[in-house]
Amino acid sequence: MLVFRYEDQMVVVDAGLMFPDEELLGIDIMVPDISFLIENASQVKAILLTHGHEDHIGGLPFILPALMHVPVYGTRYTLGLVRSKLEEHGLLQQAKLVTVQPRQVEQIGEFRVEFIHVTHSIVDAVMMAITTPVGTILHTGDFKIDSSPLDGQVMDLPTIAEYGSRGVLALFSDSTNSERPGFTPSETTVIERLDEIFHHARKKVVVCCFTSSIHRIQIVLDLAEKYNRKVVLAGRSMLANTKTASDLGFLRVPEGILIRPQDARKLPPERTAMLMTGSQGEPMAALPRLAVGDYKNIVIEPGDSVVISARVIPGNEKTISRMINHIYKREAHVYYDDGSLPPVHVSGHASAEELKLMLNLVRPKFFVPIHGEYRQLFRHAELAKSVHAVKKKVVIAESGDRIQFTADDAEIVGKVPVGRIFIDEGSLDEVEEVVVRDRRHLAEDGIVLPVLAIDKATGKLEGQVEIITRGFVFVDDDDSLMNDSKARVLRTLEESTFEEVTDWAMIKEKIRTDLRRYLFKQTSKRPLVLPVILEI
Amino acid sequence: MLVFRYEDQMVVVDAGLMFPDEELLGIDIMVPDISFLIENASQVKAILLTHGHEDHIGGLPFILPALMHVPVYGTRYTLGLVRSKLEEHGLLQQAKLVTVQPRQVEQIGEFRVEFIHVTHSIVDAVMMAITTPVGTILHTGDFKIDSSPLDGQVMDLPTIAEYGSRGVLALFSDSTNSERPGFTPSETTVIERLDEIFHHARKKVVVCCFTSSIHRIQIVLDLAEKYNRKVVLAGRSMLANTKTASDLGFLRVPEGILIRPQDARKLPPERTAMLMTGSQGEPMAALPRLAVGDYKNIVIEPGDSVVISARVIPGNEKTISRMINHIYKREAHVYYDDGSLPPVHVSGHASAEELKLMLNLVRPKFFVPIHGEYRQLFRHAELAKSVHAVKKKVVIAESGDRIQFTADDAEIVGKVPVGRIFIDEGSLDEVEEVVVRDRRHLAEDGIVLPVLAIDKATGKLEGQVEIITRGFVFVDDDDSLMNDSKARVLRTLEESTFEEVTDWAMIKEKIRTDLRRYLFKQTSKRPLVLPVILEI
């Protein structure tokens, strides 16, 4: 989230969420702390969305209730995703959503905002030119320069160039891939590889990708049609997002190609394909559960082809690697981003040469690298210096920094309070109340640590399940809630496959989810549940 | 560790250790469970070492006490490392070490063992041809086919080819890089890049690599000499390993080039270079501590050049990334394996084309891919099938599997008990007793969980440190040991820099180490210490 302020008017660009590091186990998602916006609520004139990825729109349901008067601007597909999100949280009625399209100009108070089409891994993405009395700011959002995008809609470089030649005060540009040399390959390079995989497949083809990768999903649907396969969509968000995209005309679903999992079992495997969630090895998503034999109506069988057509989000390497091991043990072929060409996945972010191209087109007075860790910001700054594209200054800012721009200068002049708000989300199966958790009040709900020793060779529990608590309702060890909780943990173990029980990350997550749900039902409290597994 | 058995005679190849996953926080290292060898101790005729990496020799101090009568065979440098390891554990006097050299043949019972020189990221590495009455087995150890190694000692392909043409029963070959297409670049390609970095450096040059990478260390010493810089060695194992290598003549240390850290401060930075440990972001190693400003006598300053000349061990990605962020914030240049060429690091393991070359040279009856996770073994098996190099069968085995070979067949015929033994090692600063921990007896020492809430923005502790225990000596909350433990945690926080306190992985490790040491002193017990940090 980025806020632009001129005198007493503010516009907000994006409102994303983050998934926590493993170290923060016990919470589901994190959204920005917006106390600064709430304090200045009357000054907030608009929320402008660049595109529909979770790290750009996912915070809206938690942020909007405090800013209900603020209109939200976005393109058709972006707002399509926002709509289903707000509906789920019962916020759609009150929200003011304003659909915009590329080249459209909106005057919002002192801000003149032009939306400019960019290519990215999601459809209908835009960047913004925000003209203020001090000068024009270009904010790229996420982008790559794809010269052969699947939908033929190339990036609007002429408009960017036009702004560049008229003079830009500051460029805020995507640093995600600033460490990668060269150009990011076009989305269409993936077709070649996937076609090859479909061509050689003698059994089922399973493709796992992000559910917002509509281009990627289109490629798979087209190939399924070409090779005469029916398609199963697996995973709740895969179903929801493809429906949104197809309703809005961004996805062409061939007539009659979609079938249900239970119907796929009646077809020969070489007539079926599956599109599913779980590319990051998330324990509750479709592919990771398939990999350990715990998914209804779908089984990975010897000779199947499984394609992980997504990037590895840093921190998920080991989990994904374990998932791949599990799939190989089922004697399927697994295709993933291992450096072989053509690739099964291409990034949606610009590499070094594209970033230089953007910098050279814009030639701003000031440059602020955004999106990425400090290392990526620093490298992006170095790229800018190497091409001498920045007329005055590069400013590397961190979360919360206030940069003050005048026509001639840019300085970090202080910090606003920032932070991350932790959220316990309802589970997939039941609609639970979403809890915005303030860790300061953790003591109110307490901590529950189920401790169990599992024999890695047999997958069997050794000894008892122990439950350690602090600040939670348990009084002493013979409490029936305590005993029932132990029984609940035992049941989770019994309901899990051998592969799940011996995969510590996965079984911890299952125990955590089940026990947390159980305790909430019994006590209406949400203690932090941190399973501890001892390997013996 | 791999065991070859013929009738009632066994030879063991390698005895390594592993570092645990984060999920096993609370223990330091893991070594193989050798109960099978102990039960059959009289049958064990030799331990044969391929090379001196920790994952091949690190288990010896924990395994050898039970097999003191067994001779250990290795090359000069490998045994050099083994010697200092055994000396540390007071085992050197009793150990029977047998130095061998490439092309040497040893008859050990029914096994005729020839040691064959291979190229790898460590010097003096060998593979083995083990001839038994049933046939000859080739075990590659770790290898790459480096046609221009730094020491000019190319891999002994002629001897391998000779075995191949005489007929090989089974090939056991390194699968680590089986997923990588092409050839692994030569070690000498790194010189070009490091020379460039030294050439352009205007301040200190800091190079971080594995301490066993003697070739890499030689390159840095040579460049320091060329560019007239003195060299500081930082990190205990960096000092120890370079001494071993130079004593044995594997490392040429230019006269007078090494200086102490405190003397480096008296020289202008452009006259100094540093070689140090910590490439994996280990919280207690040199570079990670430098990165957060917590290292005696050395500071990273703006304009310094920091080179991480090592691979990223899977699972360490986030930790290393955080370390790089910290270094960039000190405005140093950081060079790491980011895909740019020439590389700052090359792998020591053979890529797909080299693996095929090995398979084609040997053309065994049976092939057993070894070293790597299941995914790498599977991919190596697929490579073997693609070149039709295996005459009869590929066997993918997992830890503990017994493969029975006859002249015509290879079958997995059962499992021996295997597992991992957990070890709590003494700290670096004090020589503590090493404890081989049996998790079954965990209850004896108990669990201690220090729980604290830290404000990420300020690095300040919020509220009290809480300590939750189970099965440990604490009786109730006013116990003085409990209060002193809280004080010990507070002191760890006070003694840490802001960057350390706000890096959860790092501060957890510091709290764990300090509190564990304190509790051991007070109680002679070693509870599992699991710090829980709540971010607020």
Side-chain angles (χ1 to χ4, degrees):
Chain A
M1 172 183 281
L2 195 72
V3 178
F4 292 102
R5 182 188 212 172
Y6 176 76
E7 290 178 347
D8 61 352
Q9 299 181 358
M10 294 195 256
V11 291
V12 177
V13 178
D14 291 339
L17 63 74
M18 277 174 71
F19 297 99
D21 287 354
E22 254 180 89
E23 285 125 26
L24 289 168
L25 191 75
I27 57 155
D28 299 304
I29 56 179
M30 301 187 293
V31 300
D33 177 346
I34 54 160
S35 46
F36 173 75
L37 293 181
I38 293 173
E39 272 165 37
N40 301 285
S42 66
Q43 299 186 11
V44 182
K45 302 303 175 197
I47 297 175
L48 313 171
L49 303 176
T50 58
H51 64 286
H53 278 144
E54 284 292 303
D55 55 334
H56 293 258
I57 65 165
L60 279 177
F62 311 102
I63 286 166
L64 223 44
L67 298 168
M68 225 55 210
H69 65 287
V70 180
V72 178
Y73 294 76
T75 59
R76 278 202 315 135
Y77 182 63
T78 305
L79 290 189
L81 294 175
V82 167
R83 255 184 210 106
S84 46
K85 212 172 267 301
L86 294 181
E87 188 150 42
E88 236 175 76
H89 289 82
L91 297 168
L92 186 56
Q93 295 310 314
Q94 304 120 279
K96 297 183 189 160
L97 304 182
V98 184
T99 306
V100 294
Q101 58 187 29
R103 300 304 314 267
Q104 186 168 329
V105 176
E106 292 283 325
Q107 189 72 41
I108 303 167
E110 292 281 7
F111 301 95
R112 177 190 179 275
V113 181
E114 176 166 4
F115 298 89
I116 304 167
H117 175 67
V118 296
T119 39
H120 184 42
S121 47
I122 194 169
V123 297
D124 222 12
V126 289
M127 62 182 279
M128 292 161 198
I130 302 178
T131 303
T132 71
V134 186
T136 296
I137 283 163
L138 285 192
H139 181 299
T140 67
D142 287 355
F143 77 102
K144 71 192 271 190
I145 302 180
D146 191 336
S147 298
S148 56
L150 197 70
D151 58 8
Q153 303 292 314
V154 297
M155 183 147 167
D156 188 357
L157 296 176
T159 298
I160 299 167
E162 217 179 290
Y163 274 102
S165 39
R166 283 206 301 262
V168 167
L169 178 69
L171 170 68
F172 288 67
S173 180
D174 177 12
S175 312
T176 311
N177 276 356
S178 62
E179 296 169 302
R180 292 206 197 171
F183 280 89
T184 303
S186 167
E187 177 70 22
T188 46
T189 57
V190 173
I191 299 179
E192 202 182 326
R193 182 68 184 281
L194 291 183
D195 192 312
E196 198 181 295
I197 293 168
F198 267 85
H199 181 74
H200 288 103
R202 293 282 154 270
K203 296 284 180 70
K204 270 204 300 295
V205 177
V206 175
V207 181
C208 185
C209 69
F210 287 113
T211 59
S212 58
S213 301
I214 298 304
H215 290 318
R216 201 64 53 82
I217 292 169
Q218 184 70 66
I219 291 172
V220 174
L221 292 178
D222 291 349
L223 287 170
E225 186 181 34
K226 174 174 172 185
Y227 288 99
N228 191 22
R229 287 174 185 259
K230 297 288 184 186
V231 178
V232 172
L233 303 178
R236 194 183 66 130
S237 64
M238 183 60 81
L239 286 157
N241 280 11
T242 49
K243 183 168 186 318
T244 303
S246 114
D247 288 352
L248 294 174
F250 288 99
L251 185 71
R252 188 190 66 87
V253 181
E255 189 67 29
I257 202 165
L258 297 181
I259 57 170
R260 296 176 308 166
Q262 54 267 47
D263 296 329
R265 301 171 71 186
K266 298 172 200 150
L267 290 175
E270 66 273 20
R271 294 274 69 85
T272 65
M274 321 242 154
L275 254 167
M276 60 180 62
T277 57
S279 65
Q280 302 307 304
E282 311 91 314
M284 298 310 189
L287 187 58
R289 288 174 61 190
L290 261 176
V292 294
D294 180 24
Y295 200 88
K296 217 172 146 188
N297 287 317
I298 311 179
V299 177
I300 295 178
E301 285 167 310
D304 284 351
S305 304
V306 178
V307 188
I308 303 172
S309 183
R311 78 177 182 123
V312 173
I313 294 177
N316 297 341
E317 294 83 358
K318 286 214 111 165
T319 315
I320 296 172
S321 185
R322 278 194 294 258
M323 174 173 77
I324 294 173
N325 286 340
H326 288 310
I327 302 172
Y328 271 134
K329 286 186 189 168
R330 296 173 182 273
E331 292 174 61
H333 305 281
V334 194
Y335 303 90
Y336 42 95
D337 201 358
D338 61 359
S340 59
L341 294 173
V344 291
H345 171 69
V346 294
S347 169
H349 297 273
S351 298
E353 294 304 313
E354 292 153 273
L355 295 176
K356 290 195 229 165
L357 202 153
M358 175 65 76
L359 282 156
N360 280 329
L361 272 185
V362 177
R363 304 190 71 76
K365 279 190 194 165
F366 303 104
F367 170 54
V368 184
I370 54 170
H371 304 166
E373 295 194 58
Y374 200 88
R375 54 192 280 194
Q376 279 105 24
L377 305 182
F378 195 93
R379 291 288 290 266
H380 200 178
E382 285 190 330
L383 282 178
K385 287 171 193 163
S386 76
V387 295
H388 308 288
V390 179
K391 290 175 189 147
K392 291 196 180 251
K393 196 197 263 180
V394 176
V395 181
I396 301 184
E398 292 188 81
S399 273
D401 283 345
R402 295 167 69 136
I403 312 176
Q404 182 172 290
F405 291 96
T406 63
D408 303 308
D409 198 20
E411 287 291 343
I412 293 178
V413 294
K415 252 185 147 62
V416 300
V418 284
R420 303 181 289 185
I421 301 292
F422 303 112
I423 297 188
D424 277 351
E425 226 181 356
S427 74
L428 298 186
D429 305 331
E430 311 171 26
V431 181
E432 285 180 24
E433 174 202 9
V434 169
V435 172
V436 177
R437 178 187 288 280
D438 185 341
R439 286 300 180 102
R440 258 168 276 245
H441 299 150
L442 186 86
E444 285 174 16
D445 283 0
I447 306 180
V448 174
L449 302 113
V451 180
L452 48 165
I454 294 177
D455 185 326
K456 187 125 195 172
T458 64
K460 293 267 176 274
L461 179 75
E462 295 271 327
Q464 301 290 308
V465 174
E466 296 233 39
I467 296 193
I468 305 177
T469 69
R470 186 67 153 206
F472 188 63
V473 288
F474 291 137
V475 221
D476 50 51
D477 285 8
D478 58 16
D479 189 348
S480 74
L481 181 59
M482 174 75 93
N483 287 327
D484 290 350
S485 296
K486 289 180 186 172
R488 175 62 262 193
V489 173
L490 284 176
R491 195 142 63 84
T492 301
L493 290 178
E494 280 158 18
E495 288 166 0
S496 301
T497 65
F498 171 77
E499 285 154 301
E500 284 176 304
V501 174
T502 52
D503 185 329
W504 296 164
M506 193 164 256
I507 193 65
K508 272 186 185 172
E509 182 60 25
K510 284 192 80 167
I511 291 171
R512 185 176 85 82
T513 309
D514 290 350
L515 185 56
R516 199 169 58 153
R517 193 181 305 155
Y518 170 78
L519 291 173
F520 180 67
K521 271 194 194 141
Q522 302 299 316
T523 66
S524 296
K525 284 181 182 281
R526 295 173 177 281
L528 190 64
V529 177
L530 294 175
V532 177
I533 310 263
L534 305 173
E535 172 177 338
I536 60 167
Chain B
M1 171 181 283
L2 195 72
V3 178
F4 292 101
R5 182 188 213 172
Y6 176 76
E7 290 179 347
D8 60 353
Q9 300 182 356
M10 295 195 255
V11 291
V12 177
V13 178
D14 291 339
L17 62 72
M18 277 175 72
F19 298 99
D21 287 356
E22 255 180 88
E23 285 125 26
L24 288 168
L25 191 76
I27 56 154
D28 299 304
I29 55 178
M30 301 186 294
V31 300
D33 178 345
I34 55 159
S35 47
F36 173 74
L37 293 182
I38 294 173
E39 272 166 36
N40 300 284
S42 66
Q43 299 186 12
V44 182
K45 301 304 174 195
I47 296 175
L48 312 171
L49 303 176
T50 58
H51 65 286
H53 277 145
E54 284 292 302
D55 55 334
H56 293 259
I57 66 166
L60 279 177
F62 311 102
I63 285 165
L64 222 45
L67 298 167
M68 224 55 212
H69 65 287
V70 180
V72 178
Y73 293 76
T75 59
R76 279 200 316 134
Y77 182 64
T78 304
L79 290 189
L81 294 176
V82 167
R83 256 185 209 103
S84 47
K85 211 170 266 298
L86 295 181
E87 189 151 39
E88 236 174 76
H89 289 83
L91 296 169
L92 187 55
Q93 295 310 313
Q94 305 121 276
K96 298 183 188 162
L97 304 182
V98 184
T99 306
V100 295
Q101 56 186 29
R103 298 308 310 267
Q104 186 167 328
V105 175
E106 292 283 326
Q107 189 72 40
I108 302 166
E110 291 280 10
F111 301 96
R112 177 191 180 275
V113 181
E114 177 166 4
F115 299 89
I116 304 167
H117 175 67
V118 297
T119 40
H120 184 41
S121 47
I122 194 169
V123 297
D124 223 12
V126 289
M127 62 183 277
M128 291 161 199
I130 303 177
T131 303
T132 72
V134 186
T136 296
I137 284 162
L138 286 192
H139 182 298
T140 67
D142 287 355
F143 77 102
K144 71 193 270 190
I145 301 179
D146 191 335
S147 297
S148 55
L150 196 70
D151 57 9
Q153 302 293 314
V154 297
M155 182 148 167
D156 188 357
L157 295 176
T159 299
I160 299 166
E162 218 179 289
Y163 274 102
S165 39
R166 284 207 301 262
V168 167
L169 179 67
L171 170 68
F172 288 68
S173 181
D174 177 10
S175 312
T176 310
N177 276 356
S178 63
E179 296 168 302
R180 293 207 198 170
F183 281 88
T184 303
S186 168
E187 177 70 22
T188 47
T189 56
V190 173
I191 299 179
E192 201 182 327
R193 182 68 184 281
L194 291 182
D195 192 313
E196 198 181 295
I197 292 168
F198 268 85
H199 180 73
H200 289 104
R202 295 282 154 269
K203 295 284 179 71
K204 273 203 301 295
V205 177
V206 174
V207 181
C208 185
C209 68
F210 286 112
T211 60
S212 58
S213 302
I214 299 304
H215 290 318
R216 200 64 54 81
I217 292 169
Q218 184 69 66
I219 292 172
V220 174
L221 292 178
D222 290 350
L223 288 170
E225 187 180 35
K226 174 174 173 185
Y227 289 100
N228 192 21
R229 288 174 184 257
K230 298 287 185 188
V231 177
V232 171
L233 303 178
R236 193 183 66 130
S237 65
M238 183 60 81
L239 287 156
N241 280 13
T242 49
K243 185 167 182 323
T244 302
S246 117
D247 288 352
L248 294 174
F250 288 100
L251 186 70
R252 189 191 66 86
V253 181
E255 189 68 29
I257 201 165
L258 296 181
I259 57 170
R260 295 177 308 166
Q262 52 269 48
D263 297 328
R265 301 171 69 186
K266 298 171 199 151
L267 291 174
E270 66 273 21
R271 294 274 68 86
T272 65
M274 320 244 154
L275 254 167
M276 61 180 61
T277 57
S279 65
Q280 302 307 304
E282 310 91 316
M284 298 311 186
L287 187 59
R289 288 173 60 189
L290 261 176
V292 294
D294 179 25
Y295 200 86
K296 217 172 149 187
N297 287 317
I298 310 178
V299 178
I300 295 178
E301 286 167 311
D304 284 351
S305 304
V306 179
V307 188
I308 302 172
S309 183
R311 78 177 182 121
V312 174
I313 294 178
N316 296 340
E317 294 83 358
K318 285 214 112 166
T319 315
I320 295 172
S321 184
R322 279 193 294 258
M323 174 173 76
I324 293 173
N325 287 340
H326 287 311
I327 303 171
Y328 271 134
K329 285 184 190 169
R330 294 170 183 274
E331 292 175 59
H333 305 281
V334 194
Y335 303 91
Y336 43 93
D337 201 359
D338 61 359
S340 59
L341 295 173
V344 291
H345 171 69
V346 293
S347 170
H349 297 272
S351 298
E353 294 304 314
E354 291 153 274
L355 295 175
K356 289 195 232 165
L357 202 154
M358 176 64 78
L359 281 156
N360 281 328
L361 272 184
V362 176
R363 304 190 69 77
K365 278 190 194 164
F366 303 104
F367 169 54
V368 184
I370 54 169
H371 302 167
E373 294 195 57
Y374 199 89
R375 53 192 278 194
Q376 279 105 25
L377 305 183
F378 195 93
R379 291 287 290 264
H380 200 176
E382 285 189 331
L383 283 179
K385 287 171 192 162
S386 76
V387 295
H388 308 289
V390 179
K391 289 174 191 151
K392 288 192 181 261
K393 196 197 264 180
V394 176
V395 181
I396 301 184
E398 291 187 82
S399 272
D401 283 344
R402 298 167 68 136
I403 312 176
Q404 180 172 292
F405 292 96
T406 63
D408 304 306
D409 198 21
E411 286 293 344
I412 293 178
V413 294
K415 252 185 148 61
V416 300
V418 284
R420 304 180 289 185
I421 301 292
F422 303 111
I423 300 197
D424 277 350
E425 228 181 354
S427 73
L428 298 184
D429 306 329
E430 312 170 26
V431 181
E432 283 180 26
E433 174 201 9
V434 168
V435 173
V436 176
R437 177 188 289 279
D438 184 339
R439 287 301 181 101
R440 258 169 275 246
H441 298 150
L442 185 86
E444 285 174 16
D445 283 0
I447 307 180
V448 174
L449 301 112
V451 180
L452 47 166
I454 295 177
D455 185 327
K456 187 126 195 171
T458 64
K460 293 268 175 271
L461 178 75
E462 295 270 329
Q464 301 290 308
V465 175
E466 295 232 40
I467 295 194
I468 305 176
T469 69
R470 186 65 151 210
F472 188 63
V473 289
F474 292 137
V475 223
D476 50 50
D477 284 9
D478 58 15
D479 187 351
S480 73
L481 181 59
M482 174 74 96
N483 287 328
D484 291 351
S485 296
K486 289 180 185 172
R488 176 60 263 193
V489 173
L490 284 176
R491 193 142 65 83
T492 301
L493 290 178
E494 280 158 18
E495 289 166 0
S496 302
T497 65
F498 171 76
E499 285 155 301
E500 283 175 305
V501 174
T502 52
D503 185 330
W504 297 165
M506 192 164 257
I507 193 66
K508 271 187 186 172
E509 182 60 25
K510 284 192 81 167
I511 291 171
R512 186 176 85 83
T513 310
D514 290 350
L515 184 56
R516 199 169 57 153
R517 194 181 306 156
Y518 171 78
L519 292 173
F520 180 67
K521 272 193 194 140
Q522 302 300 316
T523 66
S524 296
K525 284 182 183 281
R526 296 174 175 280
L528 189 66
V529 177
L530 293 175
V532 176
I533 309 261
L534 304 174
E535 172 177 339
I536 60 170

